[in-house]
Amino acid sequence: MSARPDAHILTARPFAHRGLHGPGISENGMAAFDAAIAAGHGIECDVRASRDGVAFIFHDADLQRMTGQPGRIAALPAAALDQMRLPDGGAIPRLSALLARCEGRVPMLVEIKAPGRHVAALCAAVARDLAEWSDAPIAIMSFNPHVLRYFARQRKRQLRGLVVTQQNKGAVRGRIERALALWLGRPDFLACDIRDLPSPFADHARRRGLPVLSWTVRSPADHARAGRHADQIIYEDGA
């Protein structure tokens, strides 16, 4: 078996947050991903599972904001989700469809939206889709260290990142949560909230050789801050 990839491959290009979306182009839609590919940038996307265990690219647990339909994505089968439309008229993409579109050539950050400890079903759905693309520059990431722990055990070559924020947390609580998450998840890289930078936590990670990506960069000031304190950006609005 070949060696695990170096997470620094993720620092070569900026990542478009939920694709390169904007007026007339919906977040996490195929048109947004096509725009990011055309710009030569990487893609960041969010993944949840349908009721029957198919990985779909969608940020919210609830469907209302992006489809105008009531209900939760986890409550519907894949066939029903395939029929729904985003504001730009495009379908909710399956993760498998985006992977096929990128053909293993486009760097991707797949953020797995799985709260709590019961992450196996969604992680298994993502792992099945990723299996065909083992040599592609793709990483999974999550706020939930149990997601990273699943991949550390079940798909050992998969790059994995811990998403972190200090917002609305006290200093002590934040330190405890980060320490536990690092121990559980053993990440290859960090994705840090731009609002937290500069950060001793991020600085320490970089000194240890872990790349630090920063989200969500939206302004020239954010861009300059990330340039000083991170290795690459996850951006919106042309920053």
Side-chain angles (χ1 to χ4, degrees):
M1 181 178 291
S2 57
R4 297 188 73 245
D6 184 342
H8 287 86
I9 64 172
L10 302 173
T11 65
R13 308 187 210 178
F15 290 87
H17 185 243
R18 305 180 197 172
L20 197 52
H21 60 92
I25 302 178
S26 297
E27 67 177 57
N28 277 328
M30 200 61 82
F33 299 137
D34 285 342
I37 293 168
H41 294 175
I43 289 169
E44 185 270 352
C45 64
D46 306 287
V47 174
R48 295 182 181 272
S50 64
R51 188 178 70 199
D52 46 353
V54 176
F56 279 84
I57 299 174
F58 204 78
H59 178 271
D60 301 354
D62 189 89
L63 291 158
Q64 183 69 44
R65 179 176 70 92
M66 290 304 297
T67 70
Q69 301 297 317
R72 295 171 66 83
I73 192 165
L76 294 177
L81 294 171
D82 284 334
Q83 300 307 309
M84 293 193 173
R85 290 296 177 265
L86 300 171
D88 65 3
I92 302 173
R94 295 187 180 208
L95 177 59
S96 59
L98 177 58
L99 291 166
R101 187 77 125 243
C102 293
E103 297 182 320
R105 297 196 298 261
V106 180
M108 287 178 60
L109 299 172
V110 179
E111 183 177 345
I112 298 176
K113 296 292 191 181
R117 298 175 61 89
H118 302 293
V119 302
L122 175 52
C123 290
V126 172
R128 284 193 298 271
D129 286 347
L130 292 178
E132 186 179 345
W133 307 99
S134 4
D135 295 321
I138 300 171
I140 63 95
M141 64 183 191
S142 184
F143 283 99
N144 188 341
H146 294 287
V147 168
L148 279 65
R149 193 172 180 85
Y150 174 95
F151 279 88
R153 291 174 168 176
Q154 303 297 330
R155 188 175 164 82
K156 296 182 176 15
R157 291 194 69 250
Q158 185 67 56
L159 286 174
R160 52 190 185 272
L162 181 67
V163 187
V164 291
T165 183
Q166 183 58 28
Q167 300 300 303
N168 302 314
K169 298 177 183 178
V172 174
R173 176 190 166 193
R175 282 197 299 270
I176 293 171
E177 285 187 358
R178 289 193 298 267
L180 180 59
L182 287 173
W183 176 75
L184 280 172
R186 292 181 289 156
D188 300 302
F189 67 96
L190 300 180
C192 292
D193 191 331
I194 186 65
R195 296 170 293 180
D196 294 342
L197 299 181
S199 156
F201 175 69
D203 290 344
H204 179 64
R206 295 177 83 192
R207 288 194 297 271
R208 289 174 51 216
L210 292 185
V212 171
L213 311 182
S214 187
W215 57 274
T216 302
V217 171
R218 292 186 170 96
S219 69
D222 287 347
H223 197 292
R225 184 187 301 179
R228 293 190 298 270
H229 303 292
D231 299 295
Q232 192 48 270
I233 62 170
I234 303 169
Y235 76 93
E236 283 187 7
D237 298 335

